[in-house]
Amino acid sequence: MTRKILLICSFALLFCLKGFAQTLPVSGRVISALDKQPMAGVTVSLKGTSTGVMTGTNGGFNLNVPAGKSTLTVSFIGYTPKDVVVTGGQTNVEIALTEDVQQLNDVVVVGYTSKKQNELTSAVTVVSANKLKDVTANNIGTMLQGKVAGLQVVNSSGAPGSTAEIRLRGVSSVNANQSPLFVVDGIIGGNYDPNDVESITVLKDAGATALYGSQANAGVIIVTTKSAKQGETRFEAKISTGFRTADFGKLNVMNSNELYDYQKEFYRDYIPGATDNTYKIDLIKFYAERPLSLRNQDYNWSKESFKSAPVYNFYLSASGKTEKNDYYVGASYYKEKGTFINTNFERVNLRGNSTYHFSKKLDVTNNINLSASQGKSYDYMDMYYSFLNLPWDNPYDADKQPIYVDGNSTFKWWSRDKINPIHTVKNSEHSYKGFDVNYDLGINYRITNWLTFASTNRVSASFNKGSNYVSPLAAGTYHGTGYIDELNTLNYGVISNQLFKFDFKMGDHAINGFVGGAFESSRNEYSGASGKGLPEGLKVLNVVSNNQLVNGYYNKYILQSLLSQVNYSFKNKYFLSGSYRYDGSSNFAPSKQYGGFPSVSAAWLASSEEFLADNSVINNLKIRGSYGLTGTQDIGASRYLGLFSLTTQYNSLVGAVPYQLASPNLTWESKRQINAGIDIGLFKRVNLTVDVYRNDTKDLLLQVSQPLSVGFETKWENAGTVINKGIEVGINSTNIKTKDFEWTTDFTINFNNNKLSGFPSDIIKTSSSSISQIYRNGGNLFEFYMPKWLGVDAQTGAPVWEKLIYNNEGKAVASEKTSDYSQATNQEMGSALPKYQGGFNNSFRYKNFNLRVSTYFNYGNKVFSNNLRYMMNDGHEPYYNQIKLPDGAKIWSGPGDTQATEPSPQNSANSTETSSRYLKDGSYFTIRNIAFNYTLPTAWANKIAMKGVTVGVTADNVVTFSNFLGQDPQTTITPGAFVMPGVSDFKYPNNRQYLLTVNFNF
């Protein structure tokens, strides 16, 4: 018995030893092929089994494998998986992984989740950081210009710190904010620095935007900031420096000689109606009033007011991964001095992103962004006189100090308003400063292998202070007294999203999505004061002695929502997605607060079908379609209430005056969106995307005219519809690709048309400059409404406009010319919105050299050049400087002058009144940016302890081609209290920018 037991034990021991002998350890490390740095968190597994380990912080791993040869599979997100053959007992195995560019671009952040490119059922465009940062700017909008089909970007001001205006697929509302909703790292709103951006995702149709419901009426732009990608800590440093110069476009003013000769026209012997006119210039009278010495007095006001200005941008970041923590920290400093004197802007930004992996089930993300900024703005009138003052006036005295000028000055000052803006700028200040903090807390808990709870939350606060100060030494209204006003703004709020996300896979079927709730609350508090009577040298409110005024108010806003989405796919070829969001807004009466916003979208990945599987021409073919609703309530709080103004007094007590009619039925604007699209990939070189859309915005939130008996001119109501229809085309191609040379092209174009319907009556909006736009059924948004200019009467030299003749039905049946402005007929003369716009960008790489040229074009919009009223005024204002007349322009010189384009100064009554004379074609083509970079060879970089070094030079706003007469035709498209879309009015000029940039990776 004992012998049997021993025999059995011997066999068992031999079996165990044999089994032990069949596995041997293998050790090594995984590195990045790009920079040879170790990679943590990489999965190393024995192929065909569930046996595997993850690499540590140094990229190292140890794994037992069978004796003899085995195959290891090494995989990591964003890198190409690799199979490696090893032998049991082998040590110091080094495995290099290369980045999988296709996979990196494959995952797209959409809504409250992410999808792979092939799963997308809606119109989405992704712009990587590499394509963004050929332009150096303080805002993402400027960087996006010309890079996304359907995205209109307008740089309407070159003032330091100014941001671009952005419109996606046209304008769909009259009063509501039409800027796209920005979402930063999955949460609505938020602050960030362009240097911290990893990618931008633009959501265009309701299939993608409806998840944001009432806030997505104008589209959504998702900003994803940087996070760690590799194990060892990586550092990046960037230094950019250069200068800017003002771009005056075709606003070329006359010098002293040109103006001298031009003003001779004011002395032509011509009296309308007289029979003895000689039409000759009375030189004797002219020389008596304009001495020849003026030809030698040539002072360039633009040169004195606008100077070359330096720009600086410094950035430093660190990122890394450990088994438990992913982290990114970035710091940046941006400073630009304005090209207009005494203007500037500077901003410092700190950002930290961290995700801690407590376990395989629980991740916690903490993101914080801190920013502070300050700068100096300008007074519009200082800009105004810098363009209009005559070259015959010297702004400086013998000591090169700005001259004080007013109406009592004893010396001759030729310019009309006796103002020296250089002196005013020196004795005034328009400063501002602000601080902003965002803190995000994200919790991701995997309850089961198919169910996850995701909580994203943000607390934000900002404080801003603006001040306008005029010294008692300055000329004008406040001379001798001085003036100061301050406005303080405090904003704070919270956003919280709580979602349950699910993901099932059953054979060829896959279902995923989420359900949950969202809550937003914000409060804006304003306080300010102003006064006159300041001692010289003091800029504080507590020393003002008269005209003291205090003001303050606040706004409160709450939005609560239920949201859900379900996505279904079959065989990774057929995709269906549906979402529903239910929003409640405090901006409406309790009975009208809630609105539902559904969407549905579908896609067919035809290139995965068997009949296209072996196709050598078409490598990708997807057909998409979507339908959905979004809405808006973004017109401010309390529009539905009857309000009284408490800004008056009666018997030393507060007096109330009726201010706003109640509108208890006021509710959401709703936007119905339909989109059909196709994505085509050809020869693995060309990618084409085409989208056709129609967006109908109904129940517009308008101030509708009321009968005179009501006692109010307007009342807030839901009325009217805006219909936007368009086509978008995007093409990306790799034209040439060899080992040493590569040429790629991006082309985008968007055609958009809008029409109005359902308006109870015509709505005419008139600016403070007496420029009108009309909203009329069958018309367009931002449609200019004014008399049509017909030129000059060849016999009299008088201006001529068009007068329409109407029949009994109110229809225009004929027209005639008139020189009586009061008889001229207001007509629709074109919209401020373009018919199409887009970009054409090319990148070239030769070995380590890279060249990128980005362009942008805009066609079919009208711009009213209000500047020309003063600078092409037919002698009405002889003491304003004048613009150089374009080629072909000619002032009327006598009867029968059929070549004249400008009226006689002696017979030009009302010629500067609003008419299409100053309404110009706003089309343009601009070379937006040229960037040239050189990347040092790795061996050279390693010699200076760097992983990579890139040196580059860039030029922004290189040249603009346009027939527009005046400043840069990029003009505001945002309505406001003192601005009108499409009106150019002595704006702060855009700038040409030239930079040298050095980028270090170590």
Side-chain angles (χ1 to χ4, degrees), residues 284-357:
I284 295 176
K285 184 178 181 181
F286 173 74
Y287 290 138
E289 297 183 9
R290 301 288 190 275
L292 278 170
S293 59
L294 292 179
R295 287 189 178 275
N296 300 318
Q297 296 175 203
D298 190 12
Y299 303 102
N300 190 325
W301 282 91
S302 294
K303 184 178 179 181
E304 296 297 333
S305 301
F306 295 90
K307 308 286 187 180
S308 294
V311 181
Y312 309 96
N313 189 19
F314 304 108
Y315 164 70
L316 176 66
S317 70
S319 62
K321 278 178 173 284
T322 66
E323 291 185 48
K324 287 291 187 179
N325 192 30
D326 309 339
Y327 59 90
Y328 166 85
V329 179
S332 62
Y333 174 71
Y334 177 88
K335 182 177 182 180
E336 58 174 307
K337 188 175 181 180
T339 53
F340 188 64
I341 53 177
N342 202 29
T343 59
N344 58 59
F345 173 79
E346 59 184 326
R347 182 176 189 258
V348 61
N349 197 88
L350 301 173
R351 185 172 191 88
N353 295 344
S354 172
T355 298
Y356 193 82
H357 309 285

Side-chain angles (χ1 to χ4, degrees), residues 252-263 290-305 384-396 412-416 419 421-422 871 877-884:
N252 299 316
V253 296
M254 296 181 180
N255 60 30
S256 61
N257 285 296
E258 291 166 332
L259 183 65
Y260 192 85
D261 291 334
Y262 168 78
Q263 289 204 359
R290 301 288 190 275
L292 278 170
S293 59
L294 292 179
R295 287 189 178 275
N296 300 318
Q297 296 175 203
D298 190 12
Y299 303 102
N300 190 325
W301 282 91
S302 294
K303 184 178 179 181
E304 296 297 333
S305 301
Y384 175 90
Y385 288 114
S386 295
F387 285 113
L388 290 178
N389 273 5
L390 300 186
W392 301 333
D393 291 322
N394 185 352
Y396 299 104
K412 181 63 177 179
W413 185 263
W414 290 91
S415 300
R416 196 196 78 163
I419 290 177
I422 295 176
M871 308 187 79
E877 297 292 351
Y879 300 108
Y880 281 153
N881 203 354
Q882 297 295 289
I883 192 171
K884 294 179 183 179

Side-chain angles (χ1 to χ4, degrees), residues 89 245 328 373 465 498 509 585 654 693 753 850 901 989:
T245 60
Y328 166 85
S373 61
K465 178 181 179 180
Q498 314 300 322
H509 305 273
S585 170
V654 174
Y693 61 86
N753 172 267
N850 288 271
T901 60

Side-chain angles (χ1 to χ4, degrees), residues 169-198:
R169 293 186 168 181
V171 177
S172 299
S173 183
V174 174
N175 289 305
N177 180 15
Q178 287 297 284
S179 296
L181 175 70
F182 273 78
V183 176
V184 179
D185 291 333
I187 306 177
I188 290 171
N191 209 345
Y192 60 94
D193 184 88
N195 290 295
D196 294 321
V197 173
E198 180 69 33

Side-chain angles (χ1 to χ4, degrees), residues 113-125:
T113 184
S114 59
K115 294 182 180 181
K116 290 184 178 180
Q117 285 268 9
N118 64 349
E119 297 174 343
L120 292 175
T121 57
S122 52
V124 174
T125 298

Side-chain angles (χ1 to χ4, degrees), residues 340-343 379 382-383 386 420-430:
F340 188 64
I341 53 177
N342 202 29
T343 59
D379 186 280
D382 292 333
M383 186 80 66
S386 295
N420 181 357
I422 295 176
H423 182 275
T424 305
V425 168
K426 182 179 179 181
N427 288 281
S428 61
E429 187 175 283
H430 310 280

Side-chain angles (χ1 to χ4, degrees), residues 380-649:
Y380 167 82
M381 295 307 295
D382 292 333
M383 186 80 66
Y384 175 90
Y385 288 114
S386 295
F387 285 113
L388 290 178
N389 273 5
L390 300 186
W392 301 333
D393 291 322
N394 185 352
Y396 299 104
D397 60 20
D399 298 324
K400 294 295 182 181
Q401 295 299 312
I403 294 175
Y404 172 85
V405 184
D406 64 16
N408 299 318
S409 298
T410 57
F411 59 90
K412 181 63 177 179
W413 185 263
W414 290 91
S415 300
R416 196 196 78 163
D417 292 330
K418 311 299 183 191
I419 290 177
N420 181 357
I422 295 176
H423 182 275
T424 305
V425 168
K426 182 179 179 181
N427 288 281
S428 61
E429 187 175 283
H430 310 280
S431 61
Y432 57 90
K433 61 185 68 175
F435 180 79
D436 181 282
V437 58
N438 291 175
Y439 169 69
D440 299 350
L441 173 64
I443 300 172
N444 207 62
Y445 184 73
R446 289 168 283 279
I447 301 171
T448 67
N449 60 355
W450 60 268
L451 182 63
T452 300
F453 172 70
S455 175
T456 53
N457 310 273
R458 172 176 294 146
V459 177
S460 61
S462 65
F463 176 78
N464 296 279
K465 178 181 179 180
S467 176
N468 290 300
Y469 164 76
V470 180
S471 165
L473 299 176
T477 306
Y478 305 112
H479 179 67
T481 65
Y483 173 79
I484 188 172
D485 80 82
E486 291 184 357
L487 177 64
N488 301 300
T489 306
L490 175 64
N491 306 309
Y492 52 94
V494 62
I495 298 177
S496 182
N497 305 310
Q498 314 300 322
L499 303 177
F500 286 93
K501 299 182 178 181
F502 54 88
D503 190 350
F504 298 97
K505 290 184 180 179
M506 298 168 287
D508 292 333
H509 305 273
I511 300 176
N512 61 69
F514 59 83
V515 62
F519 174 81
E520 296 179 39
S521 178
S522 65
R523 182 172 173 126
N524 316 105
E525 299 181 2
Y526 304 85
S527 63
S530 63
K532 296 195 301 183
L534 288 164
E536 183 183 337
L538 293 180
K539 305 177 184 179
V540 290
L541 281 165
N542 67 331
V543 298
V544 298
S545 58
N546 58 72
N547 290 90
Q548 299 169 352
L549 179 66
V550 177
N551 60 77
Y553 60 98
Y554 73 90
N555 288 322
K556 188 177 181 181
Y557 165 75
I558 295 175
L559 181 73
Q560 48 192 354
S561 311
L562 297 175
L563 51 156
S564 60
Q565 184 183 60
V566 177
N567 306 301
Y568 168 76
S569 69
F570 177 65
K571 290 188 175 180
N572 258 348
K573 293 189 291 187
Y574 312 102
F575 304 93
L576 181 66
S577 180
S579 69
Y580 185 78
R581 178 163 180 146
Y582 192 63
D583 282 346
S585 170
S586 61
N587 282 352
F588 300 115
S591 62
K592 301 291 182 180
Q593 285 184 348
Y594 291 90
F597 305 98
S599 78
V600 62
S601 57
W604 173 35
L605 190 60
S607 54
S608 294
E609 299 288 357
E610 291 184 5
F611 60 83
L612 286 176
D614 298 323
N615 193 297
S616 60
V617 176
I618 301 176
N619 58 277
N620 178 57
L621 176 61
K622 181 192 282 185
I623 300 171
R624 298 176 280 102
S626 69
Y627 170 85
L629 294 177
T630 55
T632 186
Q633 34 75 44
D634 189 16
I635 58 169
S638 307
R639 301 302 190 194
Y640 69 94
L641 292 173
L643 298 178
F644 288 82
S645 173
L646 301 175
T647 57
T648 60
Q649 292 184 352

Side-chain angles (χ1 to χ4, degrees), residues 43-53 63-64 360:
T43 300
V44 181
S45 60
L46 183 61
K47 190 171 184 177
T49 73
S50 59
T51 303
V53 296
L63 181 67
N64 288 330
K360 292 183 178 180

